[in-house]
Amino acid sequence: MTSQGPTVAIFATCFNDTMWPEAPRATVTLLERLGCTVVFPREQTCCGQMFTNTGYADEAVPLVRKFVDVFERYEHVVAPSGSCVGSVRDQHAMLARRSGDGGLVTAVEELTPRVLELSEFVVDVLGRTDVGAYFPHRVTYHPTCHSLRMLHVGDRPLRLLREVRGIDLVDLPNATECCGFGGTFAVKNADTSIAMGSDKARHVRETGAEVLVAGDNSCLSHIGGILGRQRSGVRTLHLAQILASTEEDPA
Amino acid sequence: MSTSPADHGAPPTGDVGAGPTAYPDEPAPLQRTSATFLGMPSFQTAAKAALADTQQRRNLAHATATIRGKRAAVVAEVEAWEELRVAGAAAKDEVLHHLPHYLEQLEENLTARGATVHWARDAEEANRIVVGLVQERDADEVVKVKSMATQEIELNEALEAAGIHAWETDLAELIVQLGHDRPSHILVPAIHRNRAEIREIFLREMGEVGRPAPEDLSDEPARLAEAARLHLREKFLRAKVAVSGANFAVADTGTLVVVESEGNGRMCLTLPETLISVVGVEKVLPTFADLGTMLQLLPRSSTGERMNPYTSMWTGVHAGDGPQDVHVVLVDNGRSHVLADPVGRDALRCIRCSACLNVCPVYERAGGHAYGSVYPGPIGAVLNPQLRGTGSDVDKSLPYASSLCGACFEACPVRIDIPALLVHLRTQVVDEASGRSVEALGMKAAAWTFADHRRLEAAQRAATVGGRLLGDRTIRTVPGLGAWAQARDVPTPPKETFRQWWRRTHGDGAGTDGTGTDGTGTDGRTA
Ligand code: SF4
C-alpha cells in the first residue's frame, strides 16, 4: 500500500515504550500498512496519569505542558492505550486550570480532542474495520474501563476484531467489570486488586480462549500476571498486535 | 423548647457560591468523627480482613449482582434517562448554589403550615434538640423510619443514653439493631447477612426487647418478615413519638418526602402524635415539580423498581389527620464545609440511592464496614473525607479506595463524577502531606526523569540492560513488592524499548516528515 493516508504522530506512552514495545511497534506496522505516514516525536515522555491519579498534580502539570509542546503541531495523535488517551482527554484540562496558565488551558483544549485511541482512529478517521489482519486463534476481548467509560470507544475494537480473518472471537462474561489494576490502586490496595483480578482471570478461563486481548497493556499485564501465575495457558496480546498480524508476519 | 434560627444567627443568607454564609466569620467546621468510627484503621487494612470473610463475600456478590441486573433492566426502559439525570443534577445544583435562599423558603413554608423548624450545626446539637423534644413529651421510646441522617449523627445512641428506646422499624435496620451490628449498605443495611443468620438473630434477640420470635421460626423470607411484623406492630401502636429523615424537602411548598418499600415508614409517619424529622440541609429541592424528576430517578436507581411501594409526603400539620405535632431539624454537620469546595460539593447532590455501591467492584469485595462510616462505597469514599477532613487513617485512605473504573459515575442518577472527585481528594491528601514520604520522593524522581526524554532514555538503557541479563520476560517473586507479586507474575523489561526499535528501523528524528522534532541536537545514540 502506498502512503496516501494522513500523517500520524504516535504517542507510544511511557509504559509501552519501556515495558511493552510490541504494542506501539504493532501500531506503527498497522498504520503504515493502512497507508499512513507515522512519525515518532522523540521528545515525548509521559502523559502524567500516574502522577495525577496518585494525587501529585504539581508533578503532572509540567508533563501536560510537555505533551502540548511535543504534539500540538500534529493533526492526528494516536496512542495504543485507552488509559493514557483518557488521561489526556479527561484530565489535562483540569491540570492546566490548576496551573493557572491561561495559554496552557487554551492549548490543551485545542489539542486534546485530536488525541485518539487506536480503535477510534482506525474506525472514525480512516473509516476502516477490515484492516486485512489474519489471526487464526480463539480470542476474548476485555474492554478496559477507561476505553469504555472515559473515551466511550464502544464496540469499535470488537468491530475491528470481527473482521480479522480466521479469528474465533468469544464473549467474555462480566466483560465490563474492572480487572482491578487501577494503577496506584494495585499497589495501595493490593489485596482488593488481586481479588478483582482473580475473578477477571476466572472469566477469561471460562471462555476457553487462548488469547486475551485489550487496548491497554497496563490492565493486560495485571490480568496476564495472574493468568501466568496460574499457568493457565492463556496469553495476552494488545489489540494492535492482533490487528497488525498477517499470514506472513503473525503475532 | 426549640432552637430557632435566631439562636445561631442562622439560617444563612446570601449566595453560598461566595462561601457558606452560615459561618460568615470563620471557615465552616468539619464534622467530628463519631464515637463509633474513631480510630478506624485505613481502608486497605480493614478491607484485607473483610476480603477473608467468605460468608460476606458470597452474600455481597450475590446481592449486588441481583440488584445490578434489576437496575440495568429498569433504567434501560427509560428512553430519556440521560435527560432525567441531567435534570436531577441541575435541580440539586440549583439548591447547592443558592442554599441559604432555599433553606429560608423551606423554613417559611414549613412554619406557615404548622411545623416547627430547628437548626443544628452539628450532630451534638441535633441530638440535643431531638432528645429534648422527646423528653418534653414524657416519652421513653420512639419508633424510627430508616434514615441516614440519624445514623450519621448517632441519634439512637444519644437517645439510649437519655433512657429513651429507639426502635428501628425498617426490616434490615431491625436486623442490624437486633444483631448489635453496623449497617454495611445505604439501602440494604444487612446486605452482609443471609437468611440463616437473620433467623438466628431474631430467635436470640427479639424476646429481649419485645415480642419474641416464634420458636419454630424458619429462614423462609415470608416467615422472617412475619416475625418482624408481629414484633414491630406493638411498638407502632404504642409509640407517641416517631423519628424520621427525609429523602426530599421541597422548598416552595414545605413538603417532606419519605420513599420506602415496606410500609413501616407510613406507619411511623401517620400513627404517632409527634413526628420529628432530621434532615440534612442538602436534601432541599427547589420546587414540587422537581419531585417529578427525582421520583423517577430514585426507585429505578436504588431498588431497581419502576416506582417504590410507599411514597409519603406531608406538609406541616393537618387537623385531625396524622401527627399534630410536627418538627423538622435541619442539620449541617460538615455540609457547609463541603459546600465551600466548588469541585467537591458535587457530592452533596447525592440522593443516597446506593446505585454506586451496587456497581462498585471494590465495594462488592471489601464490603461496607471497611469505609469507616455510615456512608460506604464510592459515595462514602468521596463524602467522608470531605465531611470529616483527611486527618485520620481511614479518611486519608478513602480517596484511594478505588480503581477509578468509573462504574459509579455511569450509574449515578445525579451525575456525580466520583472518579474525578476521588482524584481531586487524592491531590488534597498529597498537598496536605509533608512531601518527604518514600512515595513523594519516588514521584518527584520519576517526574524529573519524565521532564526530559534524554533522562527517560538513560533510565530505559539501564532497564533494558537489566532485561537482557534477566533473559526471560517473567519474574515469579520480587522481594519488597509484597502482595503485588504474591499473586501475579511481574514482567521484566524488554531487550529493546520502542524508541530504540524506532531508531533502528526508522532512523533518527521524528520520522519522515522532518517537522516533528529538533531531536538532532539531542542525540545520545547508544542503544
Ligand atoms: S453518589 Fe449517586 S449513585 Fe451513589 S448513592 Fe449518591 S446518588 Fe446514588
Side-chain angles (χ1 to χ4, degrees), chain B residues 11 25 32 116 118 151 153 158 187 214 264 283 315 322 402 479 504 521:
Chain B
D25 308 319
R32 208 169 315 132
T116 310
H118 310 259
Q151 265 175 38
I153 63 174
L187 184 79
N264 64 299
K283 293 284 146 194
T315 307
S402 165
R504 184 163 62 74

Side-chain angles (χ1 to χ4, degrees), chain B residues 186 298 301 347 349-357 378-380 382 408-409 411-416 418:
Chain B
I186 293 176
L298 180 56
S301 300
R349 286 189 208 143
C350 175
I351 56 173
R352 312 278 188 264
C353 72
S354 64
C356 59
L357 279 63
I379 184 60
V382 293
C408 47
F409 179 27
C412 178
V414 286
R415 296 192 92 261
I416 302 172
I418 294 177

Side-chain angles (χ1 to χ4, degrees), chain A residues 44-248:
Chain A
Q44 64 177 276
T45 57
C46 166
C47 67
Q49 176 171 215
M50 169 182 79
F51 303 97
T52 315
N53 284 350
T54 314
Y56 292 82
D58 288 343
E59 277 70 24
V61 168
L63 296 172
V64 174
R65 192 164 280 129
K66 187 173 183 61
F67 189 87
V68 168
D69 287 346
V70 172
F71 288 108
E72 66 184 345
R73 72 195 69 179
Y74 297 102
E75 168 100 25
H76 303 288
V77 182
V78 174
S81 164
S83 189
C84 300
V85 173
S87 180
V88 169
R89 291 225 299 258
D90 232 60
Q91 297 180 322
H92 276 199
M94 173 270 288
L95 291 162
R97 280 196 299 276
R98 179 179 163 109
S99 77
D101 175 348
L104 185 61
V105 174
T106 315
V108 163
E109 277 169 8
E110 219 269 308
L111 165 65
T112 55
R114 302 202 305 272
V115 182
L116 301 183
E117 182 270 341
L118 178 62
S119 72
E120 293 178 312
F121 180 75
V122 174
V123 175
D124 298 349
V125 179
L126 299 183
R128 300 281 295 263
T129 48
D130 182 352
V131 296
Y134 172 71
F135 192 74
H137 302 279
R138 190 174 174 93
V139 173
T140 194
Y141 169 73
H142 168 57
T144 59
C145 298
H146 290 174
S147 299
L148 198 66
R149 284 181 280 260
M150 256 178 158
L151 299 180
H152 304 285
V153 302
D155 65 351
R156 288 180 187 82
L158 285 169
R159 279 155 66 196
L160 290 163
L161 286 168
R162 279 187 209 116
E163 304 275 355
V164 172
R165 258 189 320 124
I167 199 167
D168 175 14
L169 188 63
V170 286
D171 283 343
L172 178 65
N174 287 23
T176 58
E177 186 170 271
C178 177
C179 72
F181 174 65
T184 210
F185 177 76
V187 181
K188 287 189 189 273
N189 285 280
D191 296 284
T192 310
S193 168
I194 289 163
M196 289 161 70
S198 304
D199 287 340
K200 182 59 73 180
R202 175 165 54 82
H203 291 311
V204 171
R205 297 187 69 171
E206 279 164 19
T207 66
E210 170 202 339
V211 177
L212 170 68
V213 63
D216 261 296
N217 269 326
S218 45
C219 312
L220 274 182
S221 64
H222 171 70
I223 311 167
I226 294 170
L227 289 168
R229 176 63 53 96
Q230 296 172 344
R231 311 297 191 272
S232 64
V234 183
R235 65 179 167 138
T236 57
L237 284 177
H238 191 280
L239 176 67
Q241 289 173 274
I242 291 185
L243 298 181
S245 176
T246 56
E247 231 155 315
E248 302 72 44

Side-chain angles (χ1 to χ4, degrees), chain B residues 102-103 105-107 109-111 113 115-118 242-259 266 269 275-285 287-288 291 295 310-318 325-330:
Chain B
Y102 286 110
L103 284 173
Q105 197 188 359
L106 176 68
E107 183 192 33
N109 284 319
L110 279 167
T111 310
R113 285 163 182 81
T116 310
V117 175
H118 310 259
V243 175
S244 82
N247 292 94
F248 307 103
V250 181
D252 75 343
T253 57
T255 306
L256 297 196
V257 184
V258 162
V259 171
R266 177 71 55 81
L269 299 170
L275 173 58
I276 307 168
S277 303
V278 179
V279 182
V281 290
E282 85 287 13
K283 293 284 146 194
V284 189
L285 283 182
T287 68
F288 200 81
L291 280 179
L295 292 178
Y310 294 87
T311 301
S312 302
M313 304 189 191
W314 67 104
T315 307
V317 176
H318 287 262
D325 180 25
V326 172
H327 296 262
V328 180
V329 184
L330 294 169

